[in-house]
Amino acid sequence: MKTANGKNDALISSRDALAMLGVKPQTLYAYVSRGLIRVAPSSADGARMYFRRDVEAVTAKGRSTRAATSAAERSLSWGGATVMHTAITFVGPGGPVYRGQPALDLARAGRTFEECAELLWNGALPKEVPMWSAPAVPQAFTSYARVICDVAPNNTSRHLLALVANAYIATVERDGPGEPGRHEREARQLIQVLASAFGLLRPKPRLVPPAAPDSIATLVAKSSGITASSPVIAALNACLVITADHELTPSTFVARIAASAGADSMSCITSALASFEGQQNGLGCDECEQALLGAGSRKAYLATIARSLAERRPVAGYNHFVYPNGDPRGEYLLEIASALAGNRADTAWMVAWIATAREQLGVRPTVVAGLVAVCAALGMPRRSAGALMALSRTAGWLAHSAEQRLSGVSVRPRARYIGVSAPER
């Protein structure tokens, strides 16, 4: 949302922040250093900008020592107290920024998922597009693969990815703990195996790990049973790049907790996969897809959304709480979906329905709706959107688990006991 002077009202200037807080600049800087107020990237004129929501939260809590303690005890939700520092990703109105590189700019520039992953892991974009060596898949994995294929129709795509990850970890020979580059090397291999797991979503499930080097986008396309043409690869890379990380999401927090407890990178990824079921990620993708495919008509679809809004229930695929003015990732992916769908009657309707919901009901499509639309336009199997987001997020989970491990800090929040009093002795 824009103010009358055209500025984004999610951000405010230093002067406005000081006026709202009623404090001196030194106190404002203290709030920033303590993580209570986040600083946005500098504006065009170089001035520092602050998140209005953070300033309002501090104002509501007061500025005394008691308020600082209260802020530390707030639930760990968006807009609450910052719980840890990171040099990996910043989330602002324009979407995630990876190591100083806006994710949407990377996608528009045609960067690959591999380049994005290396940026998150190592802090810099590689000079050349990396080609990861094919994973060594042991024969024992084949036995697991047959069982996973049998249960594939009865599981969500995230459960299937978790099953594949655990099967691979259980059967592959691991590098020694002190091996240089071990974490990245193991992650590259696991991600390639997970890309082959998209075959489990096909009408006749299949799981054939890659035997030769190939890009992740190409592996996803081939596993899904669609042609790996240049437009398809470009669209898949765009989806993978802009969803690779989103700061401290619940699943990322889980990965960091596991890392702080001493878990290795592979265990951190499987831990995060197990919690990737929220409205704004895996589960939301499934629900958004089901709502579109099950409505039967545009009128019925709009009525379902309107009913949810009237009952104050969340609507999968719309109104991301992190982006009150609209999710730029969702808008970008819908542009891609629209271009891919063209005049195809079997998928163009989906993009049109989402656009109508935005225009008539005022809802704002998120990255979830965008992923669902792109996967449909590409002709991928159902449940692919949630799998694509989970696959991409493995890059972010690995980066965060490595950062947490290097910090040497144990993630162990304290709890304030509010149960019955202990019996007297």
Side-chain angles (χ1 to χ4, degrees), residues 31 34 36 57-58 61-76 80-82 414 416:
Y31 287 142
R34 281 154 53 194
L36 298 176
V58 172
K61 290 294 182 182
R63 299 180 298 276
S64 63
T65 302
R66 179 181 59 79
T69 302
S70 177
E73 291 180 354
R74 280 180 285 171
S75 61
L76 304 180
T82 301
R414 291 299 307 276
R416 180 177 289 278

Side-chain angles (χ1 to χ4, degrees), residues 338-391:
S338 181
L340 288 171
N343 296 320
R344 287 180 53 182
D346 59 336
T347 55
W349 64 268
M350 187 175 289
V351 178
W353 287 15
I354 294 172
T356 303
R358 175 178 50 201
E359 294 163 5
Q360 295 189 11
L361 302 177
V363 289
R364 298 172 296 279
T366 69
V367 69
V368 164
L371 283 172
V372 169
V374 169
C375 288
L378 290 174
M380 296 178 70
R382 292 189 183 185
R383 300 180 290 164
S384 292
L388 197 62
M389 196 176 186
L391 173 68

Side-chain angles (χ1 to χ4, degrees), residues 305-328:
I305 295 178
R307 186 163 53 253
S308 295
L309 293 173
E311 297 172 357
R312 298 184 179 277
R313 290 187 286 109
V315 183
Y318 297 94
N319 299 343
H320 199 308
F321 59 88
V322 173
Y323 301 103
N325 301 321
D327 186 344

